[in-house]
């Protein structure tokens, strides 16, 4: 059953990660709404975050169409509940990987930090930063070399509505990471004794798991930016799938991804052990 989706209480300038300016304060000091709500747990919609996670796996297109809508010149949802939940899930999977493959409690603690802060938060911030500059400039309105009219969305084009927000880029990147977590941090962990064997069928299923993960990541990224009416030719964001497909086919000739890539997940934990 779908949770009740209410309008965000407050949003701000699209150039400030959903930031707002209090009427009694000066214009120079602005606190991003996302960070102001980091510790306001009663205001977080964890039920909606769980609903998003479920549908990111079974119907990702529905997530951005049902949850992300334009209001007060912003598309960003300054609700950290999704980030907290996924960080918690990564903590739990880090404990599982650590207990199975690392030599000491200190190594497990390091693995938790690597999973949450490096694999998840740092990589999502990096992808969001690249997308903020790349997508806005290459796929934004009025870009030379990309023909076609600017798409008109349900809400039209309010003043300032055609500016890509860094907060929205971060929203997309952390949601695209969820299927990667499910595939490579959970399913791969469970199947590791089987897919790391020296059999071609193990190689096939193990490498296909990586293809599914990066394929989901690419599709969800595309769906996120495709919902913005001021971006055009967002189908170009799907091209990496072709590259991943070719690399997957080549890997079937003898390169076992789980056996060779999965140990990289533990590198930070084993360093200095």
């Amino acid at each position: 059953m779908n949770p009740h989706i209410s309008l965000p209480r407050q949003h701000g300038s699209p150039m400030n990660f959903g930031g707002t300016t209090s009427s009694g304060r000066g214009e120079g000091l602005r606190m991003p709404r996302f960070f102001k709500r980091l510790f306001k747990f009663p205001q977080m919609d964890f039920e909606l975050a769980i609903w998003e996670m479920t549908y990111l796996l079974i119907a990702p297109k529905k997530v951005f169409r049902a949850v992300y809508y334009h209001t007060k010149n912003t598309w960003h949802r300054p609700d950290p509940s999704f980030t907290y939940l996924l960080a918690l899930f990564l903590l739990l999977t880090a404990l599982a990987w650590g207990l199975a493959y690392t030599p000491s409690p200190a190594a497990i603690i390091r693995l938790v930090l690597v999973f949450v802060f490096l694999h998840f938060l740092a990589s999502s911030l990096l992808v969001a930063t690249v997308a903020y500059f790349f997508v806005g400039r290459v796929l934004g309105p009025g870009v030379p070399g990309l023909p076609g009219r600017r798409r008109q969305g349900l809400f039209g084009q309010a003043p300032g509505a055609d500016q890509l927000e860094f907060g929205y880029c971060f929203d997309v990147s952390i949601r695209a990471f969820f299927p990667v977590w499910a595939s490579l941090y959970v399913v791969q962990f469970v199947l590791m004794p089987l897919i790391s064997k020296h059999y071609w069928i193990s190689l096939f299923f193990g490498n296909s798991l990586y293809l599914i993960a990066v394929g989901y990541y690419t599709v969800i990224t595309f769906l996120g930016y495709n919902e913005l009416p001021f971006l055009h030719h967002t189908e170009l964001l799907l091209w990496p799938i072709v590259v991943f497909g070719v690399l997957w086919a080549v890997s079937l000739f003898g390169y076992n991804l789980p056996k060779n890539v999965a140990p990289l997940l533990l590198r930070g934990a084993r360093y200095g052990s």
Side-chain angles (χ1 to χ4, degrees):
M1 181 174 62
N2 291 1
H4 174 70
I5 303 173
S6 59
L7 287 172
R9 294 181 178 87
Q10 188 176 4
H11 290 290
S13 169
M15 297 301 292
N16 289 281
F17 208 102
T20 59
T21 303
S22 175
S23 58
R25 297 181 181 179
E27 293 293 330
L29 180 62
R30 297 188 179 187
M31 174 65 69
R33 182 70 171 168
F34 180 90
F35 295 113
K36 290 176 67 176
R37 297 186 63 181
L38 274 178
F39 302 104
K40 296 183 178 180
F41 293 97
Q43 298 182 13
M44 299 181 193
D45 196 343
F46 288 99
E47 182 183 1
L48 177 58
I50 294 174
W51 180 88
E52 286 187 75
M53 290 178 174
T54 302
Y55 276 87
L56 282 171
L57 296 177
I58 62 177
K61 189 174 183 178
K62 189 173 183 179
V63 172
F64 292 99
R65 291 202 168 179
V67 178
Y68 288 85
Y69 38 78
H70 181 263
T71 178
K72 294 186 179 180
N73 291 347
T74 184
W75 295 83
H76 168 56
R77 293 188 67 253
D79 185 349
S81 57
F82 192 100
T83 306
Y84 272 119
L85 275 182
L86 189 46
L88 173 62
F89 294 161
L90 278 160
L91 184 151
L92 297 176
T93 49
L95 292 176
W97 280 87
L99 291 172
Y101 297 106
T102 57
S104 67
I108 295 177
I109 294 175
R110 286 196 297 270
L111 187 62
V112 169
L113 297 176
V114 167
F115 273 26
V116 175
F117 292 100
L118 182 61
H119 293 184
F120 173 42
L121 294 177
S123 67
S124 296
L125 284 171
L126 177 62
V127 171
T129 302
V130 172
Y132 177 68
F133 290 102
F134 173 79
V135 175
R137 294 184 178 183
V138 177
L139 305 181
V143 177
L146 289 179
R149 296 183 178 179
R150 185 169 62 194
R151 295 185 299 139
Q152 295 295 321
L154 177 63
F155 301 93
Q157 296 298 320
D162 58 350
Q163 296 180 6
L164 183 63
E165 307 161 76
F166 180 81
Y168 185 83
C169 295
F170 185 70
D171 288 340
V172 173
S173 64
I174 62 173
R175 280 151 182 81
F177 189 88
F178 179 72
V180 175
W181 168 80
S183 300
L184 302 186
Y185 292 78
V186 178
V187 178
Q188 179 177 224
F189 174 78
V190 174
L191 299 180
M192 199 65 186
L194 300 176
I195 58 180
S196 60
K197 298 290 185 180
H198 294 283
Y199 302 112
W200 188 86
I201 191 67
S202 300
L203 181 148
F204 174 79
F205 282 108
N207 291 11
S208 297
L209 195 61
Y210 279 77
L211 179 64
I212 292 171
V214 295
Y216 255 109
Y217 192 96
T218 304
V219 169
I220 291 175
T221 300
F222 157 74
L223 291 174
Y225 292 109
N226 190 57
E227 282 303 306
L228 300 180
F230 54 85
L231 297 180
H232 50 242
H233 300 286
T234 51
E235 64 275 4
L236 295 175
L237 297 173
L238 292 172
W239 270 101
I241 292 182
V242 177
V243 178
F244 296 142
V246 172
L247 294 176
W248 170 81
V250 172
S251 71
L252 296 181
F253 287 94
Y255 189 79
N256 189 305
L257 287 173
K259 185 177 180 180
N260 292 279
V261 177
L264 297 178
L265 298 177
L266 308 173
R267 175 161 295 184
R270 289 178 174 175
Y271 181 77
S273 298

